[in-house]
Amino acid sequence: MESAPQHSAACPQLIETGGITKAPFTHVVIELTQAEYIQLKWDANYWKGQYHQVKQKHEDLKLELESAQARIRDLKQRLYGKKTEKGVAKRDRSGRYRHTDTPRPRGQQQGSKGHGRTHRPDLPVIEEEHDVAAEDKLRPVCTKPYKLLSQTEDSNIVEIKVKSYIRRVKRKMYVQGCQCEGVTGLITAPPAPRLIPKSGIGISVWREVLLNKFLFSRALNNLCTDYTHRGLCIAPGTLTMSFV
């Protein structure tokens, strides 16, 4: 490969030629071998390719970030934003319905028929007797007691009572009462079923833990605090190690 003659004096300053300012080293000629020239071209193509890949990745990440920020704004608006209601149609004096921009009030609307109290026939009923105080059973004038009626004034209140307890399983044992050979001398009733062998936590607890964690997305620390208030002290590590 023939090389051009090397420039003897390289000027580091700007060169003015015919009123046009050119960058330094404009007329500097450098000698390269063909191998060095090929290597430079290969490096230039390689770094160009790397630049385009990084640029494309940057654009993809930028789009992904914008999409994530849009979802965050939408969720914040749903959770914390003001909720508006559309206008409703009201009946005027002529009997016609006219659409108004006045928001509808919350709750049951005036004039609409309610559904009444919800019946719950599947819930068990636990009866409680509330008596009048002893001093109120006496009439204030003659101090004689009131007569007790056979009827009562009844009312229903829905309550929830959840309390942990220890389930003590007593397995009956039987011993051999004869002299027969080749039979088992002692038999015991089978053990109670457990989700984890030799674990002291019952199936009902594991069922509630799994539902709260995977269906209702409750944290284990929060769940263990709830159990502590209900009389069951259980460490989060006990539940965590069971999922491993």
Side-chain angles (χ1 to χ4, degrees):
M1 175 180 181
E2 296 182 359
S3 59
Q6 184 176 2
H7 197 279
S8 58
C11 180
Q13 300 179 353
L14 297 178
I15 303 174
E16 295 185 1
T17 309
I20 301 175
T21 303
K22 297 184 179 181
F25 311 112
T26 304
H27 300 284
V28 177
V29 179
I30 300 176
E31 294 183 355
L32 292 175
T33 63
Q34 185 175 4
E36 291 174 342
Y37 175 78
I38 294 174
Q39 182 65 32
L40 289 175
K41 292 290 291 184
W42 186 89
D43 291 341
N45 294 332
Y46 171 77
W47 290 115
K48 283 183 180 179
Q50 292 295 318
Y51 167 76
H52 289 302
Q53 291 181 6
V54 173
K55 184 179 180 181
Q56 183 63 36
K57 186 176 181 181
H58 174 73
E59 295 294 335
D60 295 341
L61 292 177
K62 185 177 180 181
L63 294 176
E64 185 177 353
L65 178 60
E66 292 177 355
S67 177
Q69 290 177 346
R71 289 197 299 267
I72 292 174
R73 288 194 299 269
D74 179 63
L75 292 176
K76 285 185 177 180
Q77 177 64 26
R78 294 184 183 181
L79 186 60
Y80 304 110
K82 295 182 179 180
K83 298 180 180 179
T84 58
E85 295 184 358
K86 297 181 179 180
V88 295
K90 292 185 177 180
R91 179 181 296 178
D92 56 10
R93 294 182 179 180
S94 62
R96 298 179 180 179
Y97 285 94
R98 298 183 181 274
H99 186 79
T100 62
D101 296 333
T102 305
R104 184 178 61 180
R106 297 180 181 272
Q108 183 178 351
Q109 304 303 308
Q110 185 177 3
S112 61
K113 184 179 179 181
H115 57 76
R117 294 192 175 183
T118 304
H119 298 283
R120 301 176 177 88
D122 297 332
L123 295 180
V125 178
I126 301 177
E127 295 185 354
E128 296 182 2
E129 291 186 356
H130 289 201
D131 201 352
V132 182
E135 59 273 13
D136 294 336
K137 293 180 181 180
L138 303 178
R139 286 174 282 184
V141 178
C142 62
T143 66
K144 292 182 179 180
Y146 285 91
K147 292 183 179 180
L148 178 64
L149 297 178
S150 59
Q151 66 182 26
T152 58
E153 183 178 350
D154 302 337
S155 60
N156 295 328
I157 303 176
V158 179
E159 299 283 358
I160 295 178
K161 184 178 181 181
V162 180
K163 186 175 179 60
S164 57
Y165 64 93
I166 296 178
R167 178 186 173 196
R168 180 168 296 169
V169 180
K170 294 185 177 182
R171 301 162 56 192
K172 291 188 176 182
M173 305 172 64
Y174 296 87
V175 67
Q176 181 182 3
C178 61
Q179 302 297 328
C180 299
E181 297 182 357
V183 297
T184 305
L186 180 67
I187 58 176
T188 309
R194 303 171 188 257
L195 183 63
I196 300 177
K198 299 182 180 180
S199 174
I201 302 178
I203 296 178
S204 60
V205 178
W206 286 118
R207 179 176 63 247
E208 187 170 351
V209 169
L210 294 175
L211 288 176
N212 279 278
K213 179 173 177 58
F214 297 105
L215 182 60
F216 304 115
S217 301
R218 292 188 62 183
L220 289 180
N221 290 331
N222 189 338
L223 191 59
C224 292
T225 303
D226 184 17
Y227 288 159
T228 302
H229 289 299
R230 288 192 274 171
L232 175 61
C233 296
I234 183 170
T238 304
L239 305 179
T240 304
M241 293 301 296
S242 302
F243 292 118
V244 178

